[in-house]
Amino acid sequence: MSGDALSQDPAELRRRIDTTKAHPARVYDVFLGGKDNYPVDRDAAAAALSANPRGYLDVRHNRDFLRRAVTALTAESGVRQFLDIGTGLPTQENVHQIAQGITPDARVVYVDNDPVVLAHARALLTSGPEGRTDYIDADLKQPGQILEQAAKTLDFDEPVVLVLVAILHFVEDEEAHPIVRDLVDALPSGSRIVLSHLTEDLNPKAIRAVQRTYTERGFTFVLRSRAEVERFFTENGLVLDEPGVVPAHHWRPDGGAPAPEKADPDFLATLDAIEMVRYRDINDVTDADINVYVATGVKP
């Protein structure tokens, strides 16, 4: 385990948790059917869903892109190390579960700065016997600290997969680009990038309505164009993998998303719109539903 992050006093963790303000990781957890969130987070998720009733498809397809990308890179590239920044709360098929299911000795370092995530970090640290997982309590805006701590688990002389999924849209340009540059500069040749980002290119009316619900709650929420998302790759000398920067459901969609868990119709009738999200089949997605660009790339 890295540093003293996991040994913090539970009372100190509770003191750090602000239950009066929504947090992106916890709102994301609401959409994924998690239980580790607060009324303020559920209110934010409900407001976003009211603004865009099919908006849960962005969250769910973003998560399914992560599943497909980690699966593909682990199986095809031979990379056995992952640095997942902005990991969010534990859910099913975390990066280490996917990677170690294919390559048992894979090493994964998770990074987040939400104390609720930290309190659940031990749930993430359930590596298989041949691999290793670790957790760093740090902010994306502290790339030096992240890299220093991650080096205790990852070997930066060997390729690393940098995972920046659904996090950069919470950072303004003047900070986002230097952060990505610092992280990529630390990676050796053969390393990979997995990135997803919200955009207004595809369905601007729907996503702008969602954007308003988040900015009203004090979130930074930057919608970037396809060219701006590509810039994270091109200005850092990264080579985009096929099919390039595309809407989430178009990135190597073979296999489709897993079917939702089944539930009794009488039980489903008692659920509100947010509670229903976890039971919805996301394979009925159309281009009119998605506002997320995704891509992977390699450092030559």
Side-chain angles (χ1 to χ4, degrees):
M1 298 182 184
S2 58
D4 297 323
L6 295 180
S7 60
Q8 288 194 28
D9 179 67
E12 170 62 17
L13 286 180
R14 287 194 295 272
R15 188 192 65 76
R16 284 179 53 192
I17 297 171
D18 183 356
T19 62
T20 67
K21 183 179 179 181
H23 189 284
R26 302 196 306 258
V27 176
Y28 194 72
D29 182 64
V30 174
F31 278 112
L32 292 174
K35 304 297 183 185
D36 302 308
N37 48 69
Y38 296 93
V40 66
D41 305 305
R42 293 189 284 277
D43 288 345
L49 196 64
S50 177
N52 179 16
R54 300 274 285 173
Y56 65 90
L57 289 164
D58 280 332
V59 178
R60 297 274 302 280
H61 275 278
N62 177 77
R63 186 72 189 183
D64 201 57
F65 158 70
L66 175 65
R67 175 186 67 84
R68 299 195 310 276
V70 172
T71 298
L73 293 181
T74 306
E76 299 169 12
S77 74
V79 181
R80 289 172 159 77
Q81 303 188 105
F82 295 80
L83 178 58
D84 181 1
I85 302 179
T87 180
L89 284 147
T91 184
Q92 287 303 305
E93 292 198 297
N94 297 291
V95 170
H96 77 278
Q97 293 168 317
I98 302 166
Q100 292 178 358
I102 299 167
T103 303
D105 64 349
R107 294 185 171 203
V108 179
V109 172
Y110 295 102
V111 182
D112 211 293
N113 69 332
D114 178 21
V116 175
V117 177
L118 181 60
H120 289 81
R122 287 189 176 87
L124 285 172
L125 295 171
T126 53
S127 173
E130 298 174 56
R132 185 173 173 186
T133 61
D134 210 343
Y135 181 88
I136 298 172
D137 178 25
D139 193 293
L140 173 67
K141 297 178 182 180
Q142 303 167 313
Q145 178 186 342
I146 289 171
L147 292 165
E148 179 183 359
Q149 292 292 320
K152 297 177 182 179
T153 300
L154 306 179
D155 179 358
F156 281 92
D157 290 327
E158 297 293 332
V160 174
V161 177
L162 172 63
V163 179
L164 296 171
V165 166
I167 186 168
L168 290 172
H169 44 246
F170 296 115
V171 187
E172 298 285 0
D173 276 352
E174 59 268 23
E175 292 181 297
H177 289 283
I179 287 167
V180 175
R181 182 187 63 237
D182 289 349
L183 292 168
V184 172
D185 282 351
L187 303 179
S189 175
S191 293
R192 311 299 288 248
I193 312 297
V194 175
L195 186 149
S196 70
H197 200 294
L198 286 168
T199 183
E200 63 181 353
D201 283 1
L202 305 172
N203 302 289
K205 183 178 180 180
I207 195 62
R208 286 172 188 159
V210 172
Q211 182 185 39
R212 284 193 296 272
T213 71
Y214 282 97
T215 55
E216 287 168 358
R217 288 163 171 78
F219 291 178
T220 297
F221 206 81
V222 184
L223 301 172
R224 292 187 171 95
S225 68
R226 184 176 184 274
E228 289 169 328
V229 173
E230 278 191 353
R231 183 182 161 199
F232 287 115
F233 292 83
T234 56
E235 76 174 7
N236 290 298
L238 301 167
V239 178
L240 281 162
D241 298 321
E242 290 294 333
V245 176
V246 296
H249 62 308
H250 288 309
W251 193 92
R252 299 179 63 166
D254 37 307
E261 60 181 287
K262 294 189 180 300
D264 180 78
D266 291 338
F267 167 71
L268 294 178
T270 68
L271 304 182
D272 63 23
I274 283 291
E275 293 167 331
M276 271 295 297
V277 165
R278 66 182 296 180
Y279 299 101
R280 294 194 182 280
D281 187 348
I282 65 172
N283 289 295
D284 66 345
V285 65
T286 71
D287 289 350
D289 293 319
I290 295 298
N291 303 282
V292 182
Y293 278 135
V294 304
T296 66
V298 61
K299 184 173 182 179

